[in-house]
Coordinates of all heavy atoms in Angstrom, one line a residue:
V1 N -0.8 -12.7 -12.8 CA -0.5 -12.4 -11.4 C 0.6 -11.4 -11.3 O 0.8 -10.7 -10.3 CB -0.1 -13.7 -10.7 CG1 0.4 -13.4 -9.3 CG2 -1.2 -14.7 -10.6
E2 N 1.4 -11.2 -12.4 CA 2.5 -10.2 -12.4 C 2.0 -8.9 -11.9 O 1.0 -8.3 -12.3 CB 3.1 -10.1 -13.8 CG 4.3 -9.2 -13.8 CD 4.9 -9.1 -15.2 OE1 4.6 -9.9 -16.0 OE2 5.8 -8.2 -15.4
G3 N 2.8 -8.3 -10.9 CA 2.4 -7.0 -10.3 C 1.3 -7.0 -9.3 O 1.0 -6.0 -8.8
V4 N 0.8 -8.2 -9.0 CA -0.3 -8.3 -8.0 C 0.3 -8.6 -6.6 O 1.2 -9.4 -6.5 CB -1.3 -9.5 -8.4 CG1 -2.3 -9.7 -7.3 CG2 -2.0 -9.1 -9.7
T5 N -0.3 -8.0 -5.6 CA 0.1 -8.2 -4.2 C -0.9 -9.1 -3.6 O -2.1 -8.9 -3.6 CB 0.2 -6.9 -3.4 OG1 1.2 -6.0 -4.0 CG2 0.6 -7.1 -2.0
F6 N -0.4 -10.2 -2.9 CA -1.2 -11.1 -2.2 C -1.1 -10.8 -0.7 O 0.0 -10.8 -0.2 CB -0.7 -12.6 -2.5 CG -1.6 -13.6 -1.8 CD1 -2.8 -14.0 -2.4 CD2 -1.2 -14.3 -0.7 CE1 -3.6 -14.9 -1.8 CE2 -2.0 -15.2 -0.1 CZ -3.2 -15.6 -0.7
D7 N -2.2 -10.5 -0.1 CA -2.3 -10.1 1.3 C -2.9 -11.1 2.2 O -4.0 -11.6 1.8 CB -3.0 -8.8 1.4 CG -3.0 -8.1 2.7 OD1 -2.6 -8.7 3.7 OD2 -3.2 -6.9 2.8
L8 N -2.3 -11.5 3.3 CA -2.9 -12.5 4.2 C -3.8 -11.8 5.3 O -4.3 -12.5 6.2 CB -1.8 -13.2 5.0 CG -0.8 -14.0 4.1 CD1 0.3 -14.6 5.0 CD2 -1.5 -15.0 3.3
G9 N -4.1 -10.5 5.1 CA -4.9 -9.8 6.1 C -6.3 -10.4 6.4 O -6.9 -10.2 7.4
G10 N -6.9 -11.1 5.4 CA -8.2 -11.7 5.6 C -8.3 -13.0 6.4 O -9.3 -13.5 6.7
L11 N -7.1 -13.6 6.6 CA -7.1 -14.9 7.3 C -7.1 -14.7 8.8 O -6.6 -13.7 9.4 CB -5.8 -15.6 6.9 CG -5.6 -16.0 5.5 CD1 -4.3 -16.7 5.2 CD2 -6.8 -16.8 5.0
L12 N -7.6 -15.7 9.5 CA -7.6 -15.7 11.0 C -6.8 -16.9 11.5 O -6.8 -18.0 11.0 CB -9.1 -15.9 11.5 CG -10.1 -14.8 11.0 CD1 -11.5 -15.2 11.4 CD2 -9.7 -13.4 11.6
L13 N -6.1 -16.6 12.6 CA -5.4 -17.7 13.3 C -6.3 -18.3 14.4 O -7.0 -17.6 15.1 CB -4.2 -17.2 14.0 CG -3.0 -16.8 13.1 CD1 -2.0 -16.0 13.9 CD2 -2.4 -18.0 12.5
G14 N -6.4 -19.7 14.4 CA -7.2 -20.4 15.4 C -6.4 -20.6 16.7 O -6.0 -21.8 16.9
D15 N -6.2 -19.6 17.5 CA -5.5 -19.8 18.7 C -6.2 -19.0 19.8 O -6.5 -17.9 19.7 CB -4.1 -19.2 18.6 CG -3.3 -19.4 19.9 OD1 -3.5 -20.3 20.6 OD2 -2.4 -18.6 20.1
A16 N -6.6 -19.8 20.9 CA -7.3 -19.2 22.0 C -6.4 -18.4 22.9 O -6.9 -17.6 23.7 CB -8.0 -20.3 22.8
G17 N -5.1 -18.6 22.9 CA -4.2 -17.9 23.8 C -4.0 -16.5 23.3 O -3.4 -16.2 22.3
T18 N -4.4 -15.6 24.2 CA -4.3 -14.1 23.8 C -3.0 -13.5 24.2 O -2.7 -12.4 23.8 CB -5.4 -13.3 24.5 OG1 -5.3 -13.5 25.9 CG2 -6.8 -13.8 24.0
E19 N -2.1 -14.3 24.9 CA -0.9 -13.7 25.4 C 0.3 -14.4 24.6 O 1.5 -14.2 25.1 CB -0.7 -14.0 26.9 CG -1.7 -13.2 27.7 CD -1.7 -11.7 27.5 OE1 -0.6 -11.1 27.5 OE2 -2.8 -11.2 27.4
D20 N 0.0 -15.1 23.5 CA 1.1 -15.8 22.8 C 1.6 -15.0 21.6 O 0.8 -14.3 20.9 CB 0.5 -17.1 22.2 CG -0.1 -18.0 23.3 OD1 0.5 -18.0 24.4 OD2 -1.1 -18.7 23.0
S21 N 2.9 -15.0 21.5 CA 3.4 -14.5 20.2 C 3.4 -15.7 19.2 O 3.5 -16.9 19.6 CB 4.9 -14.0 20.3 OG 5.7 -15.0 20.8
I22 N 3.2 -15.4 17.9 CA 3.1 -16.4 16.9 C 4.2 -16.3 15.9 O 4.6 -15.2 15.5 CB 1.7 -16.2 16.1 CG1 0.5 -16.1 17.1 CG2 1.6 -17.2 15.0 CD1 0.2 -17.4 17.8
S23 N 4.8 -17.4 15.5 CA 5.8 -17.4 14.4 C 5.0 -17.9 13.2 O 4.5 -19.0 13.2 CB 6.9 -18.4 14.8 OG 7.8 -18.5 13.7
L24 N 5.0 -17.1 12.1 CA 4.3 -17.4 10.9 C 5.4 -17.6 9.8 O 6.1 -16.6 9.5 CB 3.3 -16.4 10.5 CG 2.6 -16.6 9.2 CD1 1.7 -17.8 9.3 CD2 1.8 -15.3 8.9
S25 N 5.5 -18.8 9.2 CA 6.4 -19.0 8.1 C 5.6 -19.1 6.8 O 4.6 -19.8 6.8 CB 7.2 -20.4 8.3 OG 7.9 -20.3 9.5
V26 N 6.0 -18.3 5.8 CA 5.3 -18.3 4.6 C 6.2 -18.6 3.4 O 7.2 -18.0 3.3 CB 4.7 -16.9 4.3 CG1 3.8 -16.9 3.1 CG2 3.9 -16.4 5.5
D27 N 5.8 -19.6 2.6 CA 6.5 -19.9 1.4 C 5.5 -19.4 0.3 O 4.4 -19.9 0.1 CB 6.7 -21.5 1.2 CG 7.3 -21.9 -0.1 OD1 7.3 -21.0 -1.0 OD2 7.7 -23.0 -0.2
W28 N 5.9 -18.4 -0.4 CA 5.1 -17.7 -1.3 C 4.9 -18.4 -2.6 O 4.2 -18.0 -3.5 CB 5.6 -16.3 -1.6 CG 5.5 -15.4 -0.3 CD1 6.5 -15.0 0.4 CD2 4.3 -14.8 0.2 NE1 6.1 -14.3 1.5 CE2 4.7 -14.1 1.4 CE3 3.0 -14.9 -0.1 CZ2 3.8 -13.4 2.2 CZ3 2.1 -14.2 0.7 CH2 2.5 -13.5 1.9
G29 N 5.7 -19.5 -2.8 CA 5.5 -20.3 -4.0 C 6.3 -19.9 -5.2 O 6.2 -20.5 -6.3
D30 N 7.0 -18.8 -5.1 CA 7.8 -18.3 -6.2 C 9.3 -18.3 -5.9 O 10.1 -17.6 -6.5 CB 7.4 -16.9 -6.6 CG 7.6 -15.9 -5.5 OD1 8.0 -16.3 -4.4 OD2 7.4 -14.7 -5.8
G31 N 9.7 -19.2 -4.9 CA 11.1 -19.2 -4.5 C 11.4 -18.3 -3.3 O 12.5 -18.2 -2.9
T32 N 10.4 -17.5 -2.9 CA 10.6 -16.6 -1.8 C 9.9 -17.2 -0.5 O 8.8 -17.6 -0.6 CB 10.0 -15.2 -2.1 OG1 10.5 -14.8 -3.3 CG2 10.2 -14.2 -1.0
S33 N 10.6 -17.2 0.6 CA 10.1 -17.6 1.9 C 10.4 -16.5 2.9 O 11.4 -15.8 2.8 CB 10.7 -18.9 2.4 OG 10.3 -19.9 1.5
E34 N 9.5 -16.3 3.9 CA 9.7 -15.3 4.9 C 9.1 -15.9 6.2 O 8.2 -16.7 6.2 CB 8.9 -14.0 4.6 CG 9.4 -13.3 3.4 CD 8.6 -12.0 3.1 OE1 9.0 -11.0 3.7 OE2 7.6 -12.1 2.4
T35 N 9.7 -15.3 7.3 CA 9.1 -15.7 8.7 C 8.8 -14.4 9.4 O 9.6 -13.4 9.4 CB 10.1 -16.5 9.5 OG1 10.4 -17.7 8.8 CG2 9.6 -16.8 10.8
F36 N 7.6 -14.3 9.9 CA 7.1 -13.1 10.6 C 6.8 -13.5 12.1 O 6.4 -14.6 12.4 CB 5.8 -12.6 10.0 CG 5.9 -12.3 8.6 CD1 5.7 -13.2 7.6 CD2 6.2 -11.0 8.2 CE1 5.8 -12.9 6.2 CE2 6.3 -10.7 6.8 CZ 6.1 -11.6 5.9
T37 N 7.0 -12.6 13.0 CA 6.7 -12.8 14.4 C 5.5 -11.8 14.7 O 5.7 -10.6 14.5 CB 7.8 -12.5 15.4 OG1 8.9 -13.4 15.0 CG2 7.4 -12.7 16.8
L38 N 4.4 -12.4 15.1 CA 3.2 -11.6 15.4 C 3.1 -11.6 16.9 O 3.1 -12.6 17.6 CB 1.9 -12.2 14.8 CG 2.0 -12.5 13.3 CD1 0.7 -13.2 12.9 CD2 2.1 -11.2 12.6
E39 N 3.1 -10.4 17.5 CA 3.0 -10.2 18.9 C 1.5 -10.4 19.3 O 0.6 -10.4 18.5 CB 3.5 -8.8 19.3 CG 4.9 -8.6 19.0 CD 5.9 -9.6 19.6 OE1 5.6 -10.0 20.8 OE2 6.9 -10.0 19.0
P40 N 1.3 -10.6 20.6 CA -0.1 -10.9 21.1 C -1.1 -9.8 20.6 O -0.8 -8.6 20.7 CB 0.0 -10.8 22.6 CG 1.4 -11.3 22.9 CD 2.2 -10.7 21.7
G41 N -2.1 -10.3 20.0 CA -3.2 -9.4 19.5 C -2.9 -8.8 18.1 O -3.8 -8.1 17.6
Q42 N -1.8 -9.0 17.6 CA -1.4 -8.5 16.3 C -2.1 -9.3 15.2 O -2.1 -10.6 15.2 CB 0.1 -8.5 16.1 CG 0.5 -7.8 14.8 CD 2.1 -7.8 14.7 OE1 2.8 -8.2 15.6 NE2 2.5 -7.4 13.5
S43 N -2.7 -8.7 14.2 CA -3.3 -9.4 13.1 C -2.3 -9.7 12.0 O -1.2 -9.3 12.0 CB -4.5 -8.6 12.6 OG -4.0 -7.5 11.8
L44 N -2.9 -10.4 11.0 CA -2.1 -10.7 9.8 C -2.1 -9.6 8.8 O -1.5 -9.7 7.7 CB -2.6 -12.0 9.1 CG -2.4 -13.3 9.9 CD1 -3.1 -14.4 9.2 CD2 -0.9 -13.6 10.0
G45 N -2.8 -8.5 9.0 CA -2.8 -7.4 8.1 C -1.4 -6.8 7.9 O -0.6 -6.7 8.8
G46 N -1.1 -6.6 6.7 CA 0.2 -6.1 6.3 C 1.2 -7.2 6.0 O 2.3 -6.9 5.5
V47 N 0.8 -8.5 6.2 CA 1.7 -9.6 5.7 C 1.3 -9.8 4.3 O 0.2 -10.3 4.0 CB 1.5 -10.8 6.6 CG1 2.3 -12.0 6.0 CG2 1.8 -10.5 8.0
S48 N 2.1 -9.4 3.3 CA 1.8 -9.5 1.9 C 3.1 -9.7 1.1 O 4.2 -9.6 1.6 CB 1.1 -8.2 1.5 OG 2.0 -7.1 1.6
H49 N 2.8 -10.0 -0.2 CA 3.9 -10.4 -1.1 C 3.5 -9.9 -2.5 O 2.4 -10.1 -2.9 CB 4.2 -11.9 -1.1 CG 5.2 -12.3 -2.0 ND1 6.6 -12.0 -1.7 CD2 5.2 -13.0 -3.2 CE1 7.3 -12.6 -2.7 NE2 6.5 -13.1 -3.6
L50 N 4.5 -9.3 -3.2 CA 4.3 -8.8 -4.5 C 4.9 -9.8 -5.5 O 6.1 -10.1 -5.4 CB 5.0 -7.5 -4.7 CG 5.0 -6.9 -6.1 CD1 3.5 -6.6 -6.6 CD2 5.8 -5.6 -6.2
Y51 N 4.1 -10.4 -6.4 CA 4.6 -11.3 -7.4 C 5.1 -10.5 -8.6 O 4.4 -9.7 -9.1 CB 3.5 -12.3 -7.8 CG 3.2 -13.3 -6.7 CD1 2.1 -13.0 -5.8 CD2 3.9 -14.4 -6.6 CE1 1.9 -13.9 -4.8 CE2 3.7 -15.3 -5.6 CZ 2.7 -15.1 -4.7 OH 2.4 -16.0 -3.7
L52 N 6.3 -10.9 -9.0 CA 7.0 -10.2 -10.1 C 6.7 -10.8 -11.5 O 7.0 -10.1 -12.5 CB 8.5 -10.1 -9.8 CG 8.9 -9.4 -8.5 CD1 10.4 -9.4 -8.3 CD2 8.3 -8.0 -8.5
D53 N 6.3 -12.0 -11.5 CA 6.1 -12.7 -12.8 C 4.7 -13.3 -12.8 O 4.1 -13.7 -11.8 CB 7.1 -13.8 -13.0 CG 8.5 -13.3 -13.1 OD1 8.7 -12.4 -13.9 OD2 9.4 -13.8 -12.4
D54 N 4.2 -13.4 -14.1 CA 2.9 -14.1 -14.3 C 3.1 -15.6 -13.9 O 4.2 -16.2 -14.0 CB 2.5 -14.1 -15.7 CG 2.0 -12.7 -16.1 OD1 1.4 -12.0 -15.2 OD2 2.1 -12.3 -17.3
G55 N 2.0 -16.2 -13.5 CA 2.0 -17.6 -13.1 C 1.0 -18.0 -12.1 O 0.2 -17.1 -11.6
V56 N 0.9 -19.2 -11.7 CA 0.0 -19.8 -10.7 C 0.9 -20.2 -9.5 O 1.9 -20.9 -9.7 CB -0.8 -21.0 -11.2 CG1 -1.6 -21.5 -10.1 CG2 -1.7 -20.5 -12.4
Y57 N 0.7 -19.7 -8.4 CA 1.5 -19.9 -7.2 C 0.7 -20.6 -6.1 O -0.4 -20.2 -5.8 CB 2.1 -18.6 -6.7 CG 2.9 -17.9 -7.8 CD1 2.4 -16.9 -8.5 CD2 4.2 -18.3 -8.0 CE1 3.2 -16.2 -9.5 CE2 5.0 -17.7 -9.0 CZ 4.5 -16.6 -9.7 OH 5.2 -16.0 -10.7
R58 N 1.4 -21.5 -5.4 CA 0.8 -22.2 -4.2 C 1.5 -21.6 -3.0 O 2.7 -21.8 -2.8 CB 1.0 -23.7 -4.3 CG 0.4 -24.4 -3.1 CD 0.6 -25.9 -3.2 NE 0.0 -26.5 -2.1 CZ -0.7 -27.6 -2.1 NH1 -0.9 -28.2 -3.3 NH2 -1.2 -28.1 -1.1
V59 N 0.7 -20.9 -2.2 CA 1.3 -20.3 -0.9 C 1.1 -21.4 0.2 O 0.0 -21.9 0.4 CB 0.5 -19.0 -0.6 CG1 1.0 -18.4 0.7 CG2 0.6 -18.0 -1.7
N60 N 2.2 -21.6 0.9 CA 2.2 -22.5 2.1 C 2.5 -21.8 3.3 O 3.4 -21.0 3.4 CB 3.2 -23.6 1.9 CG 2.9 -24.6 0.8 OD1 1.9 -25.3 0.8 ND2 3.7 -24.6 -0.3
L61 N 1.6 -22.0 4.3 CA 1.7 -21.2 5.6 C 1.9 -22.2 6.7 O 1.3 -23.3 6.7 CB 0.5 -20.4 5.9 CG 0.0 -19.5 4.8 CD1 -1.4 -19.0 5.1 CD2 0.9 -18.3 4.6
R62 N 2.7 -21.8 7.7 CA 2.8 -22.6 9.0 C 2.9 -21.6 10.1 O 3.8 -20.7 10.2 CB 4.1 -23.4 8.9 CG 4.3 -24.2 10.2 CD 5.6 -25.0 10.1 NE 5.7 -25.8 11.3 CZ 6.2 -27.0 11.4 NH1 6.6 -27.6 10.3 NH2 6.3 -27.6 12.5
A63 N 1.9 -21.7 11.0 CA 1.9 -20.9 12.2 C 2.1 -21.7 13.4 O 1.5 -22.8 13.6 CB 0.5 -20.2 12.3
E64 N 3.0 -21.2 14.3 CA 3.3 -21.9 15.6 C 3.2 -20.9 16.7 O 3.6 -19.7 16.6 CB 4.6 -22.5 15.6 CG 4.8 -23.6 14.6 CD 6.2 -24.2 14.6 OE1 7.1 -23.5 15.0 OE2 6.3 -25.4 14.2
D65 N 2.8 -21.4 17.9 CA 3.0 -20.6 19.1 C 3.7 -21.4 20.1 O 4.1 -22.5 19.9 CB 1.6 -20.0 19.6 CG 0.8 -21.1 20.3 OD1 1.2 -22.2 20.4 OD2 -0.3 -20.8 20.8
N66 N 4.0 -20.8 21.3 CA 4.8 -21.5 22.3 C 4.1 -21.7 23.6 O 4.6 -21.5 24.6 CB 6.1 -20.7 22.5 CG 5.8 -19.2 23.0 OD1 4.6 -18.8 23.0 ND2 6.8 -18.5 23.3
D67 N 2.8 -22.1 23.5 CA 2.0 -22.4 24.7 C 2.7 -23.5 25.5 O 3.3 -24.5 25.0 CB 0.6 -22.9 24.3 CG -0.4 -21.8 24.1 OD1 -0.1 -20.7 24.5 OD2 -1.4 -22.1 23.6
A68 N 2.7 -23.3 26.8 CA 3.2 -24.3 27.8 C 4.6 -24.7 27.5 O 5.0 -25.9 27.7 CB 2.3 -25.6 27.8
G69 N 5.4 -23.8 27.0 CA 6.8 -24.1 26.7 C 7.1 -24.9 25.5 O 8.3 -25.2 25.2
G70 N 6.1 -25.3 24.8 CA 6.4 -26.1 23.6 C 5.7 -25.4 22.4 O 4.9 -24.6 22.5
K71 N 6.2 -25.9 21.2 CA 5.6 -25.3 20.0 C 4.4 -26.2 19.5 O 4.4 -27.4 19.7 CB 6.6 -25.2 18.9 CG 7.7 -24.2 19.1 CD 8.6 -24.1 17.9 CE 9.6 -23.0 18.2 NZ 10.5 -22.8 17.0
R72 N 3.4 -25.5 18.9 CA 2.3 -26.3 18.3 C 1.9 -25.5 17.1 O 1.9 -24.3 17.0 CB 1.2 -26.5 19.3 CG 0.5 -25.3 19.7 CD -0.6 -25.6 20.7 NE -1.3 -24.3 21.1 CZ -2.4 -23.9 20.7 NH1 -3.1 -24.6 19.8 NH2 -2.9 -22.8 21.1
E73 N 1.4 -26.3 16.1 CA 0.9 -25.7 14.9 C -0.5 -25.1 15.1 O -1.2 -25.7 15.9 CB 0.9 -26.7 13.7 CG 2.3 -27.0 13.3 CD 2.3 -27.9 12.0 OE1 1.4 -27.8 11.2 OE2 3.3 -28.7 11.9
L74 N -0.8 -24.0 14.4 CA -2.1 -23.4 14.6 C -2.9 -23.5 13.3 O -2.3 -23.3 12.2 CB -2.0 -21.9 15.0 CG -1.2 -21.7 16.3 CD1 -1.0 -20.2 16.4 CD2 -2.0 -22.2 17.4
P75 N -4.2 -23.7 13.3 CA -4.9 -23.6 12.0 C -5.1 -22.2 11.6 O -5.2 -21.3 12.4 CB -6.3 -24.3 12.4 CG -6.4 -24.0 13.9 CD -5.0 -24.0 14.4
L76 N -5.2 -22.1 10.3 CA -5.5 -20.8 9.6 C -6.8 -20.9 8.9 O -7.1 -21.9 8.3 CB -4.4 -20.4 8.6 CG -3.0 -20.1 9.2 CD1 -2.0 -20.3 8.1 CD2 -3.0 -18.6 9.6
Y77 N -7.6 -19.9 9.1 CA -9.0 -19.9 8.5 C -9.2 -18.7 7.5 O -8.7 -17.6 7.8 CB -10.0 -19.8 9.6 CG -10.0 -20.9 10.6 CD1 -9.4 -20.7 11.8 CD2 -10.6 -22.2 10.3 CE1 -9.3 -21.7 12.7 CE2 -10.5 -23.2 11.2 CZ -9.9 -23.0 12.4 OH -9.8 -24.0 13.3
D78 N -9.9 -18.9 6.5 CA -10.3 -17.8 5.6 C -11.8 -17.7 5.8 O -12.6 -18.5 5.3 CB -10.0 -18.1 4.1 CG -10.3 -17.0 3.2 OD1 -11.0 -16.0 3.7 OD2 -9.9 -17.0 2.1
P79 N -12.2 -16.7 6.6 CA -13.7 -16.6 6.8 C -14.5 -16.4 5.6 O -15.7 -16.7 5.6 CB -13.8 -15.4 7.8 CG -12.5 -14.6 7.6 CD -11.5 -15.6 7.2
R80 N -13.9 -15.9 4.5 CA -14.7 -15.7 3.2 C -15.1 -17.1 2.7 O -16.1 -17.1 1.9 CB -13.8 -15.0 2.2 CG -13.4 -13.6 2.7 CD -12.3 -13.0 1.8 NE -11.1 -13.8 2.1 CZ -9.9 -13.4 1.7 NH1 -9.7 -12.3 1.1 NH2 -8.9 -14.2 2.0
A81 N -14.4 -18.2 3.0 CA -14.8 -19.5 2.5 C -16.1 -20.0 3.1 O -16.8 -20.9 2.6 CB -13.7 -20.5 2.9
F82 N -16.6 -19.3 4.2 CA -17.8 -19.7 4.9 C -19.0 -18.8 4.6 O -20.0 -19.0 5.2 CB -17.6 -19.8 6.4 CG -16.5 -20.8 6.8 CD1 -15.2 -20.3 7.1 CD2 -16.7 -22.1 6.8 CE1 -14.2 -21.2 7.4 CE2 -15.7 -23.0 7.1 CZ -14.5 -22.6 7.4
E83 N -18.8 -17.9 3.7 CA -19.9 -17.0 3.3 C -20.8 -17.6 2.4 O -20.5 -18.4 1.6 CB -19.3 -15.7 2.7 CG -18.6 -14.9 3.8 CD -18.0 -13.6 3.2 OE1 -17.9 -13.4 2.0 OE2 -17.5 -12.8 4.0

């Protein structure tokens, strides 16, 4: 994996609200964590991480929006899994 960039651009967020901003927290599994804010209509394209060392990494994602004044978790889908 060393030198490989992992890109979340192929994933889809399961949110019907088109006017919501999304907070995406990513734990890349190598000791690095980041939080991204996606504006309405913005895709996950460009959300990526470069691994500096060989290894197997487990990436953990948490997406939340603020519908109705409260936060809720959103499902993430990889459409390639359904091909």
